[in-house]
Amino acid sequence: MNAKIFTLIASLFILGNQGYSQKDKTFNIKKQLDYCAEQASKTLQVIPNDGTSPRTVSNGSKEWKFVDYKDWTSGFWPENYGFYMKRQKIKNGKKKPINLLVS
């Protein structure tokens, strides 16, 4: 009896979760990457020249919180900046893009 109940619950769980597969096929990776590049460009305009890196924007605020190099999140911004610069070079035709995304 317990095996039947377990099988029924497992089957309902599996079938129920299939409805959570990606229904919205309109996700556009290029649009999302363009948005990220736009945000990086805006961030570059407000970074102070004191060696700090942007960390977060608090809820309800539009101002960045900046941290120094000792903060564990300080390495994320250089990577984002690298992504932005690489994207700008590709956009300007100075670098050939590598398509790692399979559609």
Side-chain angles (χ1 to χ4, degrees), residues 4 14 30 35 58 66 74 85 89-90 102:
K4 288 181 182 181
I14 292 169
K30 182 180 179 330
Y35 172 79
S58 299
F66 295 93
S74 64
M85 293 305 294
K89 288 179 182 177
I90 291 169
V102 178

Side-chain angles (χ1 to χ4, degrees), residues 39-57:
Q39 296 306 314
S41 176
K42 289 178 183 178
T43 302
L44 281 171
Q45 296 172 15
V46 298
I47 294 178
N49 193 14
D50 61 1
T52 59
S53 295
R55 177 177 181 168
T56 189
V57 176

Side-chain angles (χ1 to χ4, degrees), residues 14 25 34-35 40 44 59 62 67 83 93 95-96:
I14 292 169
K25 303 288 184 187
D34 287 344
Y35 172 79
L44 281 171
N59 262 348
K62 293 185 179 185
V67 294
F83 159 78
K95 189 169 188 163
K96 189 174 183 176

Side-chain angles (χ1 to χ4, degrees), residues 30 65 72 74 78 87 91 101:
K30 182 180 179 330
K65 175 185 174 193
W72 72 274
S74 64
R87 187 134 174 94
K91 192 174 183 179
L101 301 173

